[in-house]
Each structure stands twice: as structure tokens, then as C-alpha cells.
């Protein structure tokens, strides 16, 4: 198989580094461009990145020269966007117009009617919007997005519950500080503390979930007919978002039926390199899942669930910068490649 040329936009930031980690030895993709701000352009990636992951910087990228975030400077077929939302809003369409496939982790275009918001285990059929998007916008390329990190963790677990007639979802999140970026939460603000507000996070969870679980009718997404209510909180955990979820269902399944639905959930994506052996891991211990113990399950791509109780109430936990960010975009691109879209 000829490797697909991959570029990373915002390659020096926290999520950009996760993209580098995920793609450096990928069997389908080859990193051919690393793009970042003007202050980084012209430097080698080692000089520019300020590597902060607990794995070593891949040797294959150390001496790649960082280029500007400009379609003319990026040699790639697909670009993975780790750009902040305000910059992504103007830059990503430029790449799509120039013929690139853009796999975006940014929030800028997630809720646009003609742009797919995709979790491969949940709604792969929504990729049908790519043709709608290209026809409407006259682009040679396209943009595909993955959801917010907390939305991904929750919605992966909601998918197997749809068969019970999911009607209402309430969620309280306990979100890791890495979700705000390396310098996003001051140490004096988060030590010995819980911050009961994360800007726009609740709205993202409440709206993105309805699009993800909606139906593609050939021209647009009809949002799912349910109510989602979220309360989001920042806690002093480095990586791993934990969520307490209450799911109201028409058929009122017993906890054991919900447990079986989680255990048997098989999205049949095993041919994708980043897809974990189990998308959902069920923990039966009374005190699991826990971020420190469970966030790296499935190389950070599995979502762990536990404490399934009458109600239905349960705990879900996933790695926010892998499953909830870079890994999600890479998995989306793998799905695109598997169906001949790259």
C-alpha cells in the first residue's frame, strides 16, 4: 500500500504533538509536512516543538522543517488540524478549496449542516455529507470533523443504548486539565480545587450528541429526537475525562441488559489501525473506571464504563487527548481511506 501523505496543522501544540505521536509510525500515513505559527516556521521540529509528551519525540520528525500554515507550503494529501478554533475557521476552508482532505479536531465547523461530524463507531454513514459539502461549496477537497473530547467519550457509550429507545441523557463531567492545553489552567486555580465551569463545553455536549446520533437522509442530518443536559467541571487530573451519565430509555432496560449491550458492542472496524480491540471496556469493580488506571486502555482509544446501576446510571471514562482529540481525527482519516476517500 502506498502511504498517504499527511500534514499536521498546529503541529507544535499539545494536540499537534499527539498527532505526531499517532502518525509517526502509522502503517497507512506518512508525515510529510509539519505546519505551525510564523515563530516556529523555518525551525526543525525538535527546535520548535518543546516536546511535552511522556513518550520520546519520534526520530523521524526531529529534523523536519516546520512550514507556515498555508496550503502552498504544505505537501500532503490529508491534513490533520490541531488549530485553535478561531484560526481553524479561516484556515481550514483554504485547505479544502485547494483540494486537501481536512480531518479537523477544531470546533469551528462541527455544527455546519454540510460538514460531517463523525465518530466511526457511531455514525460512519454521515460521511455521505462530503459530496453534499463539495457540491454546495465548490471545493475540490473537504472538511470532516470529530466532536468535542467529552462528547466522544459519552456518545460512544450511548450508541449501543439506542436500541432501547434512548430519550434523555444527563451527564456530569470531571474533565482533565490537559483538555485546556499545556498553559490553559493556572496551577493555583486547579490545585486543591474543582472548577464548575468550562466555557461552551456544556453546549457542545448538548448539541453535538444530537447531530452524531441523528440520521443522514441523503442531503442533511436529522438530529436525534432526545434531550441531552450537561454540567461540565474541571478537576486536577492530567489526562482522562470521567463522566457520570444518566440515560432514560423507552424500554427501561435492566442494568444487566445495558452491561450486555456494552460488552457486545462491535462496530466492525477492526481493519482500521487505530481502532481498539474493544471500543467499550466494561469494568465490574466497584471503584472503576479511574483515569490513572484506565485512560490508556486500547492505546488510549477505548472508552471504559462501570458502576452500571438502576436508573440507568453509569460512569464512562476516556483519554481526552487521544480518544477525544488526535486519535479521533486519525481514526476518521483511516475510515476515509478504507472507503476510498483519500
Amino acid at each position: 500500500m502506498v502511504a498517504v501523505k499527511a500534514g499536521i496543522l498546529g503541529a507544535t501544540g499539545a494536540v499537534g504533538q499527539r498527532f505526531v505521536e499517532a502518525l509517526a509510525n502509522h502503517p497507512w500515513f506518512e508525515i510529510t509536512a509539519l505546519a505551525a505559527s510564523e515563530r516556529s516556521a523555518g525551525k526543525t521540529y525538535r527546535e520548535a516543538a518543546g516536546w511535552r509528551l511522556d513518550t520520546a519525540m519520534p526520530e523521524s520528525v526531529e529534523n523536519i522543517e516546520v512550514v507556515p500554515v498555508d496550503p502552498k507550503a504544505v505537501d500532503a494529501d490529508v491534513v490533520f488540524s490541531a488549530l485553535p478554533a478561531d484560526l481553524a475557521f479561516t484556515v481550514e476552508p483554504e485547505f479544502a478549496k485547494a483540494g486537501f482532505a481536512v480531518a479537523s479536531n477544531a470546533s469551528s465547523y462541527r455544527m455546519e449542516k454540510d460538514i460531517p461530524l463523525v465518530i466511526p463507531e457511531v455514525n460512519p454513514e454521515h460521511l455521505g455529507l462530503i459530496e453534499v459539502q463539495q457540491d454546495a461549496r465548490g471545493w475540490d477537497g473537504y472538511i470532516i470533523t470529530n466532536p468535542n473530547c467529552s462528547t466522544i467519550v459519552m456518545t460512544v457509550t450511548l450508541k449501543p443504548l439506542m436500541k432501547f429507545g434512548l430519550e434523555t441523557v444527563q451527564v456530569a463531567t470531571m474533565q482533565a486539565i490537559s483538555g485546556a492545553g499545556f498553559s490553559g489552567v493556572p496551577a493555583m486555580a486547579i490545585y486543591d480545587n474543582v472548577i464548575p465551569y468550562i466555557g461552551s463545553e456544556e453546549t457542545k455536549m448538548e448539541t453535538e450528541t444530537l447531530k452524531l446520533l441523528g440520521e443522514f437522509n441523503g442531503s442533511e442530518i436529522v438530529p436525534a429526537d432526545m434531550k441531552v443536559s450537561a454540567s461540565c467541571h474541571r478537576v486536577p487530573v492530567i489526562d482522562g475525562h470521567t463522566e457520570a451519565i444518566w440515560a432514560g430509555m423507552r424500554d427501561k432496560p435492566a442494568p444487566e441488559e445495558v452491561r450486555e449491550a456494552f460488552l457486545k458492542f462491535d462496530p466492525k472496524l477492526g481493519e482500521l489501525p487505530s481502532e481498539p480491540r474493544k471500543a467499550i471496556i466494561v469494568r465490574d469493580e466497584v471503584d472503576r473506571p479511574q483515569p490513572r488506571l484506565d485512560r490508556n486502555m486500547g492505546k488510549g482509544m477505548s472508552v471504559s464504563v462501570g458502576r452500571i446501576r438502576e436508573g440507568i446510571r453509569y460512569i464512562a471514562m476516556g483519554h481526552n487527548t487521544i480518544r477525544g482529540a488526535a486519535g479521533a481525527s486519525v481514526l476518521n482519516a483511516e475510515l476515509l481511506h478504507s472507503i476510498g476517500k483519500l
Side-chain angles (χ1 to χ4, degrees):
M1 180 185 294
V2 177
V4 176
K5 295 191 294 184
I8 301 170
L9 311 182
T12 59
V15 174
Q17 291 182 19
R18 286 292 187 191
F19 274 122
V20 169
E21 181 183 55
L23 294 167
N25 297 298
H26 197 283
W28 294 1
F29 301 121
E30 176 188 1
I31 297 175
T32 54
L34 298 171
S37 65
E38 291 183 2
R39 66 177 178 273
S40 296
K43 299 178 181 178
T44 66
Y45 188 67
R46 172 163 289 284
E47 293 171 334
W51 192 255
R52 300 204 181 269
L53 302 187
D54 58 6
T55 56
M57 178 185 289
E59 291 183 5
S60 59
V61 302
E62 288 182 352
N63 295 315
I64 293 179
E65 182 178 325
V66 177
V67 298
V69 182
D70 183 334
K72 296 178 182 177
V74 173
D75 176 24
D77 301 309
V78 57
V79 291
F80 295 91
S81 175
L83 297 171
D86 55 346
L87 186 57
F89 183 77
T90 57
V91 169
E92 290 178 357
E94 294 176 2
F95 277 84
K97 290 175 187 176
F100 292 84
V102 180
S104 176
N105 181 65
S107 62
S108 311
Y109 289 97
R110 288 176 187 158
M111 297 306 295
E112 289 289 312
K113 288 186 176 181
D114 61 347
I115 291 182
L117 177 67
V118 173
I119 303 172
E121 298 94 338
V122 173
N123 60 333
E125 68 280 3
H126 288 197
L127 292 178
L129 275 178
I130 289 173
E131 294 182 3
V132 175
Q133 176 189 147
Q134 290 177 315
D135 288 344
R137 298 176 185 253
W139 291 348
D140 292 326
Y142 55 85
I143 298 172
I144 174 177
T145 64
N146 58 263
N148 169 266
C149 48
S150 52
T151 303
I152 291 177
V153 171
M154 179 177 71
T155 308
V156 167
T157 72
L158 295 180
K159 179 64 175 181
L161 304 186
M162 293 290 285
K163 67 178 182 179
F164 299 119
L166 192 60
E167 295 178 333
T168 62
V169 178
Q170 295 172 299
V171 58
T173 72
M174 292 150 275
Q175 295 182 219
I177 57 176
S178 58
F182 183 77
S183 58
V185 183
M188 287 293 288
I190 196 63
Y191 280 157
D192 189 32
N193 204 15
V194 173
I195 301 173
Y197 173 73
I198 305 173
S200 75
E201 197 83 357
E202 292 159 356
T203 299
K204 290 174 183 177
M205 293 193 76
E206 292 169 354
T207 57
E208 291 175 7
T209 304
L210 301 184
K211 184 175 181 180
L212 287 159
L213 295 175
E215 294 187 6
F216 176 53
N217 65 11
S219 60
E220 62 181 359
I221 306 300
V222 180
D225 184 17
M226 66 178 68
K227 174 67 175 177
V228 180
S229 180
S231 183
C232 296
H233 320 92
R234 191 76 72 190
V235 298
V237 170
I238 294 174
D239 290 312
H241 287 354
T242 303
E243 303 177 357
I245 298 170
W246 291 257
M249 290 166 276
R250 180 193 63 237
D251 298 343
K252 303 189 183 308
E256 184 57 32
E257 292 178 278
V258 170
R259 179 179 179 276
E260 283 297 305
F262 288 149
L263 284 171
K264 294 180 178 178
F265 181 56
D266 181 7
K268 301 188 184 305
L269 297 172
E271 78 280 4
L272 304 184
S274 298
E275 178 67 12
R277 188 172 66 85
K278 288 184 176 293
I280 299 175
I281 294 174
V282 176
R283 306 297 316 206
D284 290 323
E285 302 92 332
V286 295
D287 61 351
R288 301 282 285 276
Q290 296 178 23
R292 193 166 62 188
L293 300 179
D294 298 303
R295 61 192 169 207
N296 290 315
M297 294 295 162
K299 297 182 179 179
M301 290 296 288
S302 294
V303 175
S304 297
V305 299
R307 301 205 64 216
I308 305 165
R309 293 156 286 157
E310 293 284 353
I312 291 290
R313 299 165 289 163
Y314 62 93
I315 303 297
M317 198 286 307
H319 199 302
N320 53 297
T321 64
I322 300 178
R323 172 79 263 196
S329 284
V330 172
L331 191 63
N332 278 350
E334 292 172 356
L335 178 60
L336 289 168
H337 190 41
S338 73
I339 62 174
K341 291 291 187 180
L342 290 180

